Amino acid sequence: MPATQEISESLVRENITRAIADVFKTMLGQSSALVTTATQGSDASWPPIPVDGANCAPQVVGTVGFIGDANGLIYLYLPVHFAKICTCQLLGMSEAEVDEAGDEVVNDAIGELTNMSVGSFKNGLCDAGYPCMLTIPSILRGSNFCVEPISSAQRYIYSFECGGHKVVTDILMKTGN
């Protein structure tokens, strides 16, 4: 089967745009729109590529990998306040209930949103002839940090506007064997 280097940027962009739109509309009732795209080495003024003086607002970052004929990781960056809003909408809880439950409930909700989004993305790759499986979701929390991809990884960064909030996907795909 073909290596990931044969996966075009347009296939990656179309799959992640569809995945984010479907999951955020179905699970949160929010529309989303692709706002910007960036690749490794391009100017990106918002995390995941930190810039001196950039917005250092705390982030909740969900990540899920996929392995098979296509290999990679997708990081889903949400500002903490939007992660709480998503948790309220996803679980039918008030903001006070989410605050009382603690960060673990937010982490679980964002892990599930990330898992659904990456699952939808993965299904698009499978439909295009690149069968692969998902890994277990994990969560990072912090501000102005970045993930350094290995040198053979291709990076695609897409920013979405969801209900007046910014959501960023950082996709790292290993090229070649």
Side-chain angles (χ1 to χ4, degrees):
M1 192 61 196
T4 55
Q5 63 195 31
E6 297 176 21
I7 298 174
S8 68
E9 187 279 333
S10 64
L11 179 62
V12 173
R13 181 176 13 90
E14 289 167 14
N15 276 326
I16 197 63
T17 301
R18 178 193 38 75
I20 295 296
D22 289 351
V23 170
F24 279 70
K25 183 67 175 177
T26 302
M27 301 310 296
L28 306 174
Q30 295 192 13
S31 61
S32 66
L34 178 63
V35 178
T36 61
T37 64
T39 57
Q40 181 75 29
S42 68
D43 285 337
S45 61
W46 193 83
I49 299 174
V51 176
D52 289 339
N55 177 2
C56 295
Q59 304 288 312
V60 178
V61 183
T63 183
V64 175
F66 48 95
I67 55 174
D69 285 353
N71 297 294
L73 290 167
I74 297 180
Y75 295 87
L76 187 66
Y77 287 72
L78 292 88
V80 167
H81 69 278
F82 186 50
K84 281 186 180 178
I85 292 169
C86 291
T87 302
C88 291
Q89 293 174 333
L90 185 65
L91 301 178
M93 298 171 73
S94 70
E95 195 166 327
E97 290 170 324
V98 169
D99 287 340
E100 185 176 324
D103 291 341
E104 291 79 16
V105 73
V106 175
N107 291 351
D108 288 346
I110 299 308
E112 190 55 33
L113 277 178
T114 305
N115 197 42
M116 288 185 273
S117 298
V118 178
S120 179
F121 176 86
K122 182 228 28 129
N123 289 342
L125 291 180
C126 291
D127 291 346
Y130 302 94
C132 50
M133 309 182 316
L134 296 182
T135 64
I136 297 172
S138 61
I139 296 293
L140 303 168
R141 284 177 167 260
S143 58
N144 204 22
F145 62 93
C146 74
V147 174
E148 295 289 336
I150 60 173
S151 61
S152 62
Q154 187 67 40
R155 187 176 211 172
Y156 306 98
I157 301 167
Y158 302 102
S159 297
F160 296 89
E161 192 278 328
C162 298
H165 302 276
K166 186 177 251 183
V167 174
V168 174
T169 62
D170 184 7
I171 302 172
L172 303 173
M173 297 179 72
K174 186 174 182 302
T175 58
N177 294 322

